[in-house]
Amino acid sequence: MSEKKTCDTLIKGIVISMDPKRHVYLNGFVAIENGLIKAVGPSNECNYDSDNILGGDDFMILPGLVNVHTHLIQGCMRGMADGTTYEERFFGFYYPMTGACDEERSYVASMPPVMDLLLRGVTTTADDHFTHLHKKSIDGVLKAVDDSGIRCRMARLTINDKEAVPDGFREELDEGIAETERVKSAWENDKISVTASTIGITYCEPDQLVELWKWTDDNNRQFDIHAPAVMDHKYLASRRGWEGGSFEWLDNVGILGPNVISAHSQNLRPGEAELISKCGASVALVPDMEQVLGLVNFDAKKFLESDVTCGLGLDGPVVAYGHDLWTAMRSFLTAQRMGDQHRTMMSDTQTKWTGDEVLYGSAEQALELATIDGAKALMMEDSIGSLEVGKKADILVIDRSTESHLTPMGAMIANLVYGNGPNQSAIKAVMIDGEIIVKDGIHQSIDHAQIVRDSDMLQETLLDETDARQYLRKRSRFTWVQ
């Protein structure tokens, strides 16, 4: 054998590569040099040594997870959706509480969900930010992102429709674009990218929505939109004169293309999934939120069978309480199967159970959605999402030696996904660009306890300042004593 090469870091263990052939090396290695993957494969082909060796026989090595949709600033109202109506939460406390967040407050609000992501193995997240009463609110979010070390694609959303957006939150196109350019100049680096977008079709004046998309096309950026959004169903016909679906509208105005990613995307009209596939757009599936809100018609199957690129997202902490992408993987499977059963029961031709059925979806498919498919959905598959030579060393290292729910090993991926992933303490390392950001379940530069204290204090202040305390525990069955 030739003389061994050296590398910055050498990781040994079970390597779940997520490469095009989905290689799983039961006794494998990953070599890292200058923040990139230098080599990966079975241990008997390893020709590398290092002064920094991680892993071993009881370790699992995966690409860092990719979250394709969230609203990080919602950390200040985590879980408050429980027991409230849509209008209560959206207009009663969502807009008021996030609108009251300046740069400093936005930092405090965003850090807990950012930490949730990192501590559970997410190395890349998207974020949609659309509350701009304080123009530098987004800067606070991005400072939290930057301080944490997570990779992020930030979308600054311009909203201005008078029927859907409260006073103060509306801004015209030139202002939105100018602010996007400012944020882009101030914050873009090797880990952070910034783009322009809007919430949904009926949250932005139609001509300005098209111009927003043109900016993303001219700047080779992604265009992120909720479609169909709640207001789309309410206003598309009455205010836009459009009787078709949201994606049919996007296609009609010429902007449904490869740089578009749509969040949620349920309740489509017949043929729209095929239209999305034909146009090359992507979808951010958000099954955990769909389940929490009781939306039993969740259907990812129609997209996946139409070859639509899909990734998994979490939505904001107001409805994605734990902000855990492992939960979203499991929810993808359970929500799909509950939805399939609901559609069967509602159909005119119900089928009888025979015992030969195989339920749609698999743990392997869920893990694909949370890694390489999420990277594709964010247009980042050339650099992240799998353990391949030349890609960024964004890596999750799990010590399963004391994980009772990850034994025995015959169905290791199923156990990971249905078991809601590893315990935090079993996450030996979360690496981004080859640097260990999280070690033994602890962030290496962020004070966890201080984040919790700051978050508690911020919410108390915001609840009183915005008169939103009335929505907290609004329909609680418990008796709360101060």
Side-chain angles (χ1 to χ4, degrees):
M1 180 179 286
S2 61
E3 184 178 348
K4 285 195 171 184
K5 305 172 185 177
T6 60
C7 60
D8 294 336
T9 304
L10 183 63
I11 314 175
K12 298 179 179 180
I14 300 167
V15 178
I16 303 173
S17 72
M18 307 310 293
D19 67 11
K21 291 189 176 181
R22 304 297 188 261
H23 282 107
V24 177
Y25 301 106
L26 295 174
N27 185 9
F29 78 97
V30 179
I32 301 169
E33 183 73 22
N34 294 325
L36 301 175
I37 296 173
K38 192 76 172 177
V40 59
S43 288
N44 60 9
E45 294 181 9
C46 180
N47 194 31
Y48 285 85
D49 204 351
S50 176
D51 292 334
N52 184 30
I53 298 178
L54 302 177
D57 292 341
D58 288 320
F59 287 76
M60 305 174 75
I61 307 162
L62 295 85
L65 306 182
V66 180
N67 171 42
V68 299
H69 183 69
T70 192
H71 306 283
L72 292 170
I73 197 173
Q74 284 186 10
C76 64
M77 63 187 75
R78 186 197 298 270
M80 284 181 61
D82 201 34
T84 63
T85 67
Y86 170 80
E87 291 206 351
E88 284 173 342
R89 59 181 173 267
F90 213 65
F91 298 105
F93 58 85
Y94 184 101
Y95 272 128
M97 289 178 70
T98 58
C101 286
D102 57 13
E103 183 174 0
E104 182 179 352
R105 288 174 169 184
S106 295
Y107 179 93
V108 173
S110 302
M111 188 57 87
V114 167
M115 288 285 284
D116 291 347
L117 295 172
L118 278 168
L119 296 178
R120 299 291 283 143
V122 173
T123 53
T124 297
T125 188
D127 187 46
D128 283 5
H129 191 86
F130 58 88
T131 53
H132 307 302
L133 275 175
H134 295 275
K135 295 301 184 188
K136 287 206 166 185
S137 171
I138 192 172
D139 296 75
V141 178
L142 284 168
K143 178 169 172 49
V145 164
D146 197 43
D147 284 355
S148 76
I150 198 169
R151 201 178 300 282
C152 179
R153 189 237 58 199
M154 170 61 76
R156 187 189 186 281
L157 312 189
T158 294
I159 52 177
N160 55 32
D161 189 283
K162 292 186 175 73
E163 297 294 328
V165 183
D167 289 341
F169 289 85
R170 297 191 291 268
E171 59 183 12
E172 293 305 309
L173 176 68
D174 55 354
E175 184 181 13
I177 291 294
E179 278 296 306
T180 303
E181 294 278 11
R182 178 191 68 79
V183 174
K184 176 172 168 287
S185 177
W187 289 102
E188 280 207 335
N189 56 39
D190 290 342
K191 293 181 182 177
I192 296 173
S193 63
V194 177
T195 190
S197 298
T198 189
I199 297 180
I201 294 169
T202 54
Y203 289 78
C204 186
E205 294 297 335
D207 58 333
Q208 297 194 30
L209 187 152
V210 173
E211 289 302 314
L212 274 173
W213 174 83
K214 286 181 179 178
W215 184 92
T216 65
D217 191 47
D218 291 343
N219 287 273
N220 193 29
R221 304 293 162 118
Q222 192 159 45
F223 186 74
D224 195 327
I225 189 167
H226 297 62
V230 173
M231 294 298 181
D232 291 357
H233 290 299
K234 190 173 182 179
Y235 291 135
L236 257 180
S238 63
R239 300 201 66 248
R240 300 288 190 264
W242 183 259
E243 299 292 341
S246 296
F247 289 100
E248 292 169 334
W249 187 91
L250 291 169
D251 183 51
N252 183 67
V253 298
I255 68 176
L256 185 62
N259 78 325
V260 171
I261 182 169
S262 166
H264 304 288
S265 305
Q266 301 296 310
N267 302 312
L268 270 61
R269 288 165 59 90
E272 282 194 295
E274 292 78 11
L275 175 63
I276 296 168
S277 178
K278 176 183 175 183
C279 294
S282 301
V283 167
L285 301 169
V286 194
D288 186 42
M289 183 278 285
E290 306 279 349
Q291 277 198 325
V292 166
L293 297 184
L295 305 178
V296 296
N297 57 353
F298 175 82
D299 191 3
K301 181 180 177 181
K302 64 177 177 288
F303 296 121
L304 298 171
E305 292 192 339
S306 298
D307 294 323
V308 175
T309 297
C310 296
L312 287 182
L314 290 169
D315 213 37
V318 70
V319 287
Y321 306 131
H323 232 53
D324 186 349
L325 203 63
W326 293 101
T327 300
M329 288 185 231
R330 177 171 176 155
S331 293
F332 155 69
L333 296 167
T334 55
Q336 181 66 47
R337 292 168 184 180
M338 294 291 284
D340 288 345
Q341 178 66 8
H342 170 74
R343 286 180 285 275
T344 297
M345 293 177 66
M346 294 297 103
S347 70
D348 295 331
T349 56
Q350 291 190 31
T351 57
K352 292 184 178 180
W353 184 73
T354 66
D356 296 327
E357 295 84 358
V358 176
L359 296 172
Y360 181 80
S362 70
E364 293 177 354
Q365 185 180 27
L367 190 59
E368 289 173 338
L369 289 169
T371 53
I372 186 59
D373 289 349
K376 290 178 181 176
L378 292 182
M379 302 168 61
M380 296 182 181
E381 71 271 25
D382 290 342
S383 59
I384 64 168
S386 61
L387 303 179
E388 299 181 71
V389 173
K391 285 196 172 184
K392 296 179 183 296
D394 291 7
I395 299 175
L396 171 60
V397 183
I398 300 168
D399 179 0
R400 57 166 295 276
S401 61
T402 59
E403 294 289 88
S404 58
H405 68 296
L406 298 183
T407 187
M409 287 292 287
M412 67 177 79
I413 295 178
N415 291 336
L416 263 177
V417 171
Y418 287 105
N420 286 335
N423 288 305
Q424 184 176 319
S425 59
I427 296 181
K428 187 68 176 177
V430 177
M431 306 178 75
I432 300 178
D433 285 340
E435 177 188 356
I436 295 178
I437 304 295
V438 174
K439 182 179 181 181
D440 297 327
I442 300 173
H443 197 286
Q444 294 300 280
S445 63
I446 303 293
D447 184 338
H448 297 206
Q450 187 63 52
I451 286 172
V452 173
R453 289 192 295 270
D454 290 347
S455 176
D456 287 347
M457 290 175 59
L458 173 63
Q459 186 181 74
E460 286 297 306
T461 300
L462 292 174
L463 288 173
D464 290 334
E465 192 174 295
T466 64
D467 195 28
R469 193 175 293 278
Q470 60 182 304
Y471 300 105
L472 191 65
R473 309 166 189 152
K474 187 175 180 67
R475 294 174 176 88
S476 175
R477 296 158 57 95
F478 293 9
T479 301
W480 297 83
V481 181
Q482 186 65 40

